[in-house]
Short mmCIF file of all heavy atoms in Angstrom, two decimals:
data_model
loop_
_atom_site.label_atom_id
_atom_site.label_comp_id
_atom_site.label_asym_id
_atom_site.label_seq_id
_atom_site.Cartn_x
_atom_site.Cartn_y
_atom_site.Cartn_z
N VAL T 208 135.56 120.71 115.47
CA VAL T 208 135.50 122.14 115.84
C VAL T 208 134.04 122.49 116.19
O VAL T 208 133.39 123.27 115.49
CB VAL T 208 136.08 123.07 114.73
CG1 VAL T 208 137.58 123.11 114.76
CG2 VAL T 208 135.59 122.67 113.33
N PRO T 209 133.54 121.92 117.29
CA PRO T 209 132.11 122.03 117.57
C PRO T 209 131.64 123.42 117.93
O PRO T 209 130.44 123.67 117.98
CB PRO T 209 131.92 121.08 118.76
CG PRO T 209 133.27 120.92 119.37
CD PRO T 209 134.25 121.09 118.26
N ARG T 210 132.55 124.33 118.16
CA ARG T 210 132.11 125.71 118.47
C ARG T 210 131.93 126.56 117.20
O ARG T 210 131.40 127.66 117.24
CB ARG T 210 133.12 126.40 119.40
CG ARG T 210 133.02 125.90 120.86
CD ARG T 210 134.18 126.42 121.69
NE ARG T 210 134.35 127.85 121.64
CZ ARG T 210 133.62 128.73 122.30
NH1 ARG T 210 132.65 128.33 123.07
NH2 ARG T 210 133.87 130.03 122.20
N VAL T 211 132.39 126.02 116.09
CA VAL T 211 132.30 126.79 114.83
C VAL T 211 130.93 126.58 114.20
O VAL T 211 130.41 125.46 114.18
CB VAL T 211 133.43 126.34 113.86
CG1 VAL T 211 133.26 126.99 112.48
CG2 VAL T 211 134.78 126.68 114.45
N ARG T 212 130.37 127.64 113.70
CA ARG T 212 129.01 127.58 113.15
C ARG T 212 129.03 127.11 111.70
O ARG T 212 130.06 127.14 111.03
CB ARG T 212 128.35 128.95 113.26
CG ARG T 212 128.16 129.35 114.72
CD ARG T 212 127.57 130.74 114.85
NE ARG T 212 127.48 131.12 116.25
CZ ARG T 212 126.42 130.89 117.00
NH1 ARG T 212 125.38 130.28 116.51
NH2 ARG T 212 126.43 131.28 118.27
N LEU T 213 127.84 126.69 111.27
CA LEU T 213 127.71 126.09 109.94
C LEU T 213 126.66 126.82 109.11
O LEU T 213 125.58 127.13 109.60
CB LEU T 213 127.28 124.62 110.12
CG LEU T 213 127.02 123.81 108.86
CD1 LEU T 213 128.33 123.55 108.11
CD2 LEU T 213 126.36 122.47 109.23
N GLY T 214 126.99 127.10 107.88
CA GLY T 214 126.03 127.64 106.93
C GLY T 214 125.93 126.70 105.73
O GLY T 214 126.95 126.10 105.32
N VAL T 215 124.74 126.50 105.21
CA VAL T 215 124.56 125.57 104.07
C VAL T 215 123.78 126.27 102.98
O VAL T 215 122.74 126.88 103.21
CB VAL T 215 123.78 124.31 104.50
CG1 VAL T 215 123.72 123.33 103.34
CG2 VAL T 215 124.41 123.67 105.70
N SER T 216 124.31 126.18 101.79
CA SER T 216 123.66 126.78 100.63
C SER T 216 122.72 125.75 100.01
O SER T 216 123.10 124.60 99.77
CB SER T 216 124.74 127.17 99.63
OG SER T 216 124.16 127.73 98.52
N ILE T 217 121.47 126.16 99.75
CA ILE T 217 120.48 125.18 99.27
C ILE T 217 120.30 125.26 97.75
O ILE T 217 120.22 124.26 97.07
CB ILE T 217 119.14 125.45 99.98
CG1 ILE T 217 119.28 125.16 101.48
CG2 ILE T 217 118.05 124.62 99.35
CD1 ILE T 217 118.74 123.87 101.96
N GLY T 218 120.19 126.45 97.20
CA GLY T 218 119.98 126.58 95.76
C GLY T 218 118.53 126.32 95.37
O GLY T 218 117.83 127.17 94.86
N SER T 219 118.10 125.11 95.63
CA SER T 219 116.70 124.73 95.45
C SER T 219 116.47 123.49 96.29
O SER T 219 117.38 122.68 96.46
CB SER T 219 116.40 124.43 93.98
OG SER T 219 115.12 123.82 93.88
N ALA T 220 115.28 123.33 96.80
CA ALA T 220 114.96 122.10 97.55
C ALA T 220 114.30 121.07 96.64
O ALA T 220 113.87 120.02 97.10
CB ALA T 220 114.07 122.43 98.74
N ARG T 221 114.22 121.38 95.35
CA ARG T 221 113.67 120.42 94.37
C ARG T 221 114.83 119.76 93.66
O ARG T 221 115.67 120.44 93.06
CB ARG T 221 112.75 121.15 93.40
CG ARG T 221 111.57 121.74 94.14
CD ARG T 221 110.83 122.72 93.27
NE ARG T 221 110.01 122.08 92.27
CZ ARG T 221 109.29 122.75 91.37
NH1 ARG T 221 109.31 124.08 91.35
NH2 ARG T 221 108.57 122.11 90.50
N ARG T 222 114.83 118.44 93.72
CA ARG T 222 116.03 117.71 93.35
C ARG T 222 116.54 118.02 91.93
O ARG T 222 117.73 118.32 91.75
CB ARG T 222 115.77 116.22 93.49
CG ARG T 222 117.02 115.44 93.27
CD ARG T 222 116.99 114.08 93.85
NE ARG T 222 118.40 113.64 93.86
CZ ARG T 222 118.79 112.49 94.29
NH1 ARG T 222 117.96 111.67 94.82
NH2 ARG T 222 120.07 112.16 94.23
N GLU T 223 115.65 117.98 90.97
CA GLU T 223 116.11 118.20 89.58
C GLU T 223 116.65 119.60 89.40
O GLU T 223 117.67 119.84 88.75
CB GLU T 223 114.97 117.95 88.61
CG GLU T 223 114.80 116.47 88.35
CD GLU T 223 113.68 116.17 87.38
OE1 GLU T 223 113.31 117.07 86.61
OE2 GLU T 223 113.20 115.04 87.41
N LYS T 224 115.93 120.52 90.00
CA LYS T 224 116.34 121.92 89.86
C LYS T 224 117.68 122.15 90.57
O LYS T 224 118.58 122.81 90.07
CB LYS T 224 115.25 122.81 90.48
CG LYS T 224 115.20 124.18 89.89
CD LYS T 224 114.00 124.95 90.42
CE LYS T 224 112.78 124.73 89.56
NZ LYS T 224 111.71 125.69 89.86
N ARG T 225 117.80 121.53 91.75
CA ARG T 225 119.05 121.70 92.49
C ARG T 225 120.22 121.08 91.71
O ARG T 225 121.32 121.64 91.71
CB ARG T 225 118.95 121.09 93.89
CG ARG T 225 120.14 121.42 94.78
CD ARG T 225 119.89 121.12 96.24
NE ARG T 225 120.91 121.72 97.08
CZ ARG T 225 121.99 121.08 97.54
NH1 ARG T 225 122.17 119.80 97.24
NH2 ARG T 225 122.88 121.72 98.28
N SER T 226 119.96 119.95 91.06
CA SER T 226 121.03 119.33 90.28
C SER T 226 121.53 120.26 89.19
O SER T 226 122.72 120.27 88.85
CB SER T 226 120.55 118.05 89.61
OG SER T 226 120.18 117.12 90.57
N LEU T 227 120.60 121.01 88.59
CA LEU T 227 121.02 121.92 87.53
C LEU T 227 121.78 123.12 88.09
O LEU T 227 122.78 123.56 87.52
CB LEU T 227 119.78 122.44 86.77
CG LEU T 227 119.05 121.39 85.93
CD1 LEU T 227 117.78 121.96 85.35
CD2 LEU T 227 119.98 120.88 84.82
N LEU T 228 121.31 123.63 89.22
CA LEU T 228 121.97 124.79 89.80
C LEU T 228 123.26 124.40 90.50
O LEU T 228 124.25 125.13 90.45
CB LEU T 228 121.04 125.47 90.82
CG LEU T 228 119.79 126.15 90.26
CD1 LEU T 228 118.87 126.59 91.38
CD2 LEU T 228 120.18 127.36 89.40
N MET T 229 123.22 123.26 91.21
CA MET T 229 124.36 122.84 92.02
C MET T 229 124.63 121.36 91.74
O MET T 229 124.03 120.47 92.34
CB MET T 229 124.05 123.05 93.52
CG MET T 229 123.68 124.48 93.86
SD MET T 229 123.20 124.69 95.59
CE MET T 229 124.78 124.51 96.40
N PRO T 230 125.56 121.10 90.82
CA PRO T 230 125.84 119.69 90.46
C PRO T 230 126.24 118.80 91.64
O PRO T 230 126.14 117.58 91.55
CB PRO T 230 126.98 119.81 89.45
CG PRO T 230 126.86 121.19 88.88
CD PRO T 230 126.30 122.05 89.98
N VAL T 231 126.63 119.41 92.76
CA VAL T 231 126.99 118.62 93.94
C VAL T 231 125.81 117.76 94.40
O VAL T 231 125.99 116.70 95.01
CB VAL T 231 127.48 119.54 95.10
CG1 VAL T 231 126.34 120.37 95.68
CG2 VAL T 231 128.15 118.73 96.20
N GLU T 232 124.59 118.17 94.04
CA GLU T 232 123.39 117.40 94.39
C GLU T 232 123.47 115.97 93.85
O GLU T 232 122.95 115.03 94.46
CB GLU T 232 122.15 118.12 93.83
CG GLU T 232 120.86 117.36 93.83
CD GLU T 232 120.26 117.15 95.22
OE1 GLU T 232 120.59 117.93 96.13
OE2 GLU T 232 119.46 116.19 95.38
N ARG T 233 124.16 115.81 92.71
CA ARG T 233 124.23 114.46 92.12
C ARG T 233 125.14 113.55 92.94
O ARG T 233 125.05 112.33 92.88
CB ARG T 233 124.74 114.54 90.68
CG ARG T 233 123.74 115.28 89.78
CD ARG T 233 124.33 115.59 88.42
NE ARG T 233 123.78 116.83 87.90
CZ ARG T 233 124.34 117.59 86.98
NH1 ARG T 233 125.52 117.25 86.47
NH2 ARG T 233 123.77 118.70 86.57
N LEU T 234 126.06 114.14 93.70
CA LEU T 234 126.93 113.35 94.57
C LEU T 234 126.35 113.22 95.97
O LEU T 234 126.39 112.17 96.58
CB LEU T 234 128.30 114.06 94.70
CG LEU T 234 129.22 114.04 93.50
CD1 LEU T 234 130.44 114.90 93.78
CD2 LEU T 234 129.65 112.62 93.19
N HIS T 235 125.85 114.33 96.47
CA HIS T 235 125.30 114.35 97.83
C HIS T 235 123.94 115.04 97.77
O HIS T 235 123.86 116.25 97.57
CB HIS T 235 126.21 115.16 98.76
CG HIS T 235 127.64 114.72 98.75
ND1 HIS T 235 128.03 113.47 99.18
CD2 HIS T 235 128.77 115.32 98.32
CE1 HIS T 235 129.34 113.34 99.03
NE2 HIS T 235 129.82 114.45 98.50
N SER T 236 122.89 114.26 97.94
CA SER T 236 121.55 114.85 97.83
C SER T 236 121.30 115.81 98.99
O SER T 236 121.95 115.73 100.04
CB SER T 236 120.49 113.73 97.86
OG SER T 236 120.44 113.19 99.17
N LEU T 237 120.35 116.68 98.77
CA LEU T 237 120.02 117.63 99.83
C LEU T 237 119.57 116.89 101.08
O LEU T 237 119.89 117.28 102.20
CB LEU T 237 118.91 118.59 99.35
CG LEU T 237 118.52 119.67 100.34
CD1 LEU T 237 119.69 120.56 100.72
CD2 LEU T 237 117.39 120.54 99.77
N ASP T 238 118.83 115.77 100.89
CA ASP T 238 118.41 114.99 102.07
C ASP T 238 119.62 114.52 102.87
O ASP T 238 119.64 114.62 104.11
CB ASP T 238 117.58 113.77 101.63
CG ASP T 238 116.17 114.19 101.20
OD1 ASP T 238 115.79 115.35 101.50
OD2 ASP T 238 115.48 113.38 100.57
#
Side-chain angles (χ1 to χ4, degrees):
V208 280
R210 284 171 53 78
V211 173
R212 295 177 184 270
L213 177 69
V215 185
S216 180
I217 294 258
S219 169
R221 297 167 76 182
R222 186 158 195 180
E223 279 181 21
K224 207 173 271 193
R225 189 166 193 263
S226 297
L227 291 174
L228 293 171
M229 303 176 72
V231 70
E232 168 72 22
R233 295 170 212 158
L234 288 174
H235 307 295
S236 71
L237 183 58
D238 285 346

